[in-house]
Amino acid sequence: MLIGIDARMYGLKHAGIGRYVENLVVNLLKIDEENDYTLFVRQEDVDSIKKQVLSIKHDKKLKFIVAEARHYTLKEQLLLPYLISRERLDLIHFPHFNVPLFCPTKFVVTIHDLLWHEMKGSEVTTLSGVKYFLKYSGYKLVFAHSVQQAEKIFVPTKWVKEKILSTCQISPDKIIVTYEGIGAIYLKDRSVSENTLLNKYHIKEPFLIYTGSAYPHKNLNLLFDAVKTINNSTKVKVELVIASARNVFRDRLSEKIKKDHLEGQVKILDFVPDEDLYEIYQRSLAFVFPSLSEGFGLPGLEAMASGAPVLAAANGALEEVYQDAALFFNPRKVDSLVEKVTLLQKNPRLKQELINKSKSLVKSYSFLQMAQQTLSGYQSIEE
């Protein structure tokens, strides 16, 4: 088969979906000895992707097509069908719900979550009311087309599968659960320096850490309130470290820090490379994930692999993914999180138990296995 992959969101700068796309492509090229691939990429990414994937030994044809169209735009809906039709593909994989309505060939799609179904309204957007309404209507149309017309739907957890089935009238056999994996950099045992990186980022122990976006559904205000409560009631002060890319929602967090007088208690970092995150995770009191909705929860697994205990919201797919290797709290109650943090502070043995369970759990997640399951999905369509 000649298989296309929409790789416009390839790489770490596109957060979780970017990691997914990168690891999907790399591992498919490692294991697939039969099919040929065409990658649709951004012009700015061509050289870096070629450098990475062309180093993989394979005999198949690999072609790059520049598709310069931003996601969720009219240009995307018009340009991609034209580019796809020229390549005469047997199948194309869209790693996100934004499939062109007039896709000219068979396609499969990955649905990572149903966040926009659950989180909507003025608090989750910077658009005006009219623009938001139009954008949301477009989302519902594109999403419905994606799941109804796809040959197969890949999802990262059973929880997402059940969400789709409760929302859309489709056959359960159409959906394939492909758990994601953890980057190799987090799975290597290595020594950790005493204070080098903490000094570099001006982090004070003990500290809690969160990494990821600052979108409203991530529920970071709960973290702020929990740290404030802890520091007002105990002698040992806890710092909250947030590593998040700059955007309007992160700017709102900075405003809250000033408003609530949390300077010295909350530190916001820009992008932190994986090499540094490994050590920061390991030195933390815990990684905290208060999100109100998650389809998988990759940052928590990376923290686990680094040797950090994880405190996670008891909702979404997090309980399915983290199992008994995390402590869960009610993401709508500050006291619930404060209780779990206090428990870790007072019980070093519990912290070590969580770390031991985590080290075992992360071994069960593999991007290579994800790629193998995805390839089987492709082949089932051919048959």
Side-chain angles (χ1 to χ4, degrees):
M1 282 194 295
L2 177 55
I3 301 171
I5 299 178
D6 179 7
R8 290 174 299 142
M9 295 182 75
Y10 190 106
L12 301 186
K13 64 183 178 181
H14 295 290
I17 295 178
R19 288 180 185 267
Y20 170 82
V21 176
E22 178 178 339
N23 282 282
L24 175 66
V25 170
V26 168
N27 284 287
L28 280 174
L29 294 180
K30 287 180 179 178
I31 64 174
D32 189 355
E33 299 296 335
E34 298 180 6
N35 301 302
D36 297 327
Y37 287 87
T38 297
L39 303 183
F40 295 83
V41 299
R42 295 282 182 84
Q43 180 65 63
E44 65 181 8
D45 297 327
V46 172
D47 291 341
S48 61
I49 296 176
K50 281 185 176 180
K51 183 178 180 180
Q52 183 178 20
V53 302
L54 292 180
S55 64
I56 301 171
K57 292 181 179 180
H58 57 83
D59 298 323
K60 65 186 68 60
K61 180 179 71 176
L62 181 60
K63 187 176 182 179
F64 295 82
I65 299 296
V66 173
E68 206 59 62
R70 290 189 299 109
H71 288 79
Y72 322 126
T73 62
L74 179 60
K75 184 177 181 181
E76 173 185 64
Q77 290 290 322
L78 298 176
L79 178 62
L80 283 186
Y82 167 69
L83 296 177
I84 292 168
S85 64
R86 291 194 316 180
E87 298 307 312
R88 301 184 180 277
L89 304 173
D90 296 302
L91 181 72
I92 184 166
H93 186 165
F94 293 95
H96 200 25
F97 68 82
N98 52 315
V99 178
L101 295 174
F102 301 105
C103 183
T105 190
K106 291 181 180 180
F107 68 87
V108 296
V109 64
T110 300
I111 303 295
H112 298 273
D113 55 47
L114 272 72
L115 176 64
W116 285 15
H117 276 68
E118 300 174 326
M119 305 291 172
K120 49 190 175 182
S122 59
E123 292 185 356
V124 300
T125 184
T126 58
L127 300 175
S128 65
V130 173
K131 288 184 178 179
Y132 174 73
F133 173 77
L134 292 173
K135 182 176 180 179
Y136 191 75
S137 298
Y139 158 72
K140 295 294 288 289
L141 176 65
V142 171
F143 182 90
H145 167 261
S146 299
V147 298
Q148 294 292 343
Q149 300 302 318
E151 299 293 325
K152 294 291 181 181
I153 301 169
F154 299 104
V155 297
T157 53
K158 296 175 183 176
W159 182 82
V160 175
K161 178 177 180 177
E162 292 305 316
K163 278 286 185 180
I164 294 175
L165 292 176
S166 66
T167 304
C168 311
Q169 293 183 341
I170 60 175
S171 169
D173 295 336
K174 190 175 183 177
I175 304 177
I176 302 174
V177 178
T178 58
Y179 289 108
E180 297 177 16
I182 304 165
I185 193 168
Y186 289 102
L187 298 174
K188 296 178 181 177
D189 289 328
R190 49 184 166 168
S191 59
V192 175
S193 62
E194 285 299 315
N195 290 302
T196 305
L197 274 177
L198 298 190
N199 290 337
K200 173 183 175 181
Y201 291 101
H202 306 289
I203 298 172
K204 299 177 182 178
E205 295 181 286
F207 66 95
L208 302 171
I209 183 168
Y210 164 85
T211 59
S213 71
Y215 294 120
H217 75 278
K218 296 296 186 178
N219 197 27
L220 299 187
N221 284 342
L222 182 88
L223 286 186
F224 284 32
D225 294 340
V227 167
K228 188 174 182 178
T229 299
I230 292 169
N231 290 340
N232 286 341
S233 60
T234 63
K235 293 182 179 180
V236 179
K237 306 301 180 183
V238 174
E239 185 174 57
L240 171 61
V241 176
I242 296 176
S244 178
R246 286 185 176 276
N247 59 32
V248 65
F249 295 110
R250 206 195 82 164
D251 292 341
R252 291 178 184 177
L253 294 182
S254 298
E255 293 172 4
K256 181 175 175 60
I257 291 174
K258 295 179 180 179
K259 180 181 178 181
D260 292 355
H261 306 292
L262 291 171
E263 297 92 341
Q265 298 183 60
V266 179
K267 180 179 297 296
I268 299 182
L269 306 176
D270 292 328
F271 173 78
V272 178
D274 289 334
E275 294 87 349
D276 290 358
L277 273 180
Y278 179 94
E279 181 170 332
I280 295 173
Y281 281 147
Q282 194 170 103
R283 297 295 294 271
S284 70
L285 175 62
F287 172 86
V288 189
F289 212 1
S291 181
L292 296 174
S293 179
E294 288 295 325
F296 186 71
L298 182 57
L301 287 180
E302 291 173 344
M304 288 182 177
S306 303
V310 170
L311 305 179
N315 64 18
L318 299 183
E319 291 179 291
E320 176 185 342
V321 174
Y322 300 159
Q323 302 177 35
D324 66 345
L327 287 183
F328 295 96
F329 60 89
N330 185 332
R332 298 190 183 277
K333 293 186 177 181
V334 174
D335 290 346
S336 179
L337 175 54
V338 170
E339 177 187 349
K340 295 302 187 294
V341 173
T342 304
L343 190 61
L344 273 185
Q345 287 177 308
K346 294 181 177 180
N347 194 338
R349 183 175 179 179
L350 173 62
K351 180 178 180 179
Q352 190 58 52
E353 288 176 357
L354 289 173
I355 292 172
N356 292 341
K357 288 180 179 179
S358 297
K359 288 291 188 179
S360 176
L361 176 70
V362 296
K363 295 176 182 178
S364 64
Y365 293 102
S366 163
F367 277 121
L368 181 62
Q369 183 179 31
M370 180 196 78
Q372 291 170 333
Q373 294 169 331
T374 303
L375 180 58
S376 294
Y378 296 164
Q379 294 168 334
S380 70
I381 297 169
E382 183 183 28
E383 295 170 0

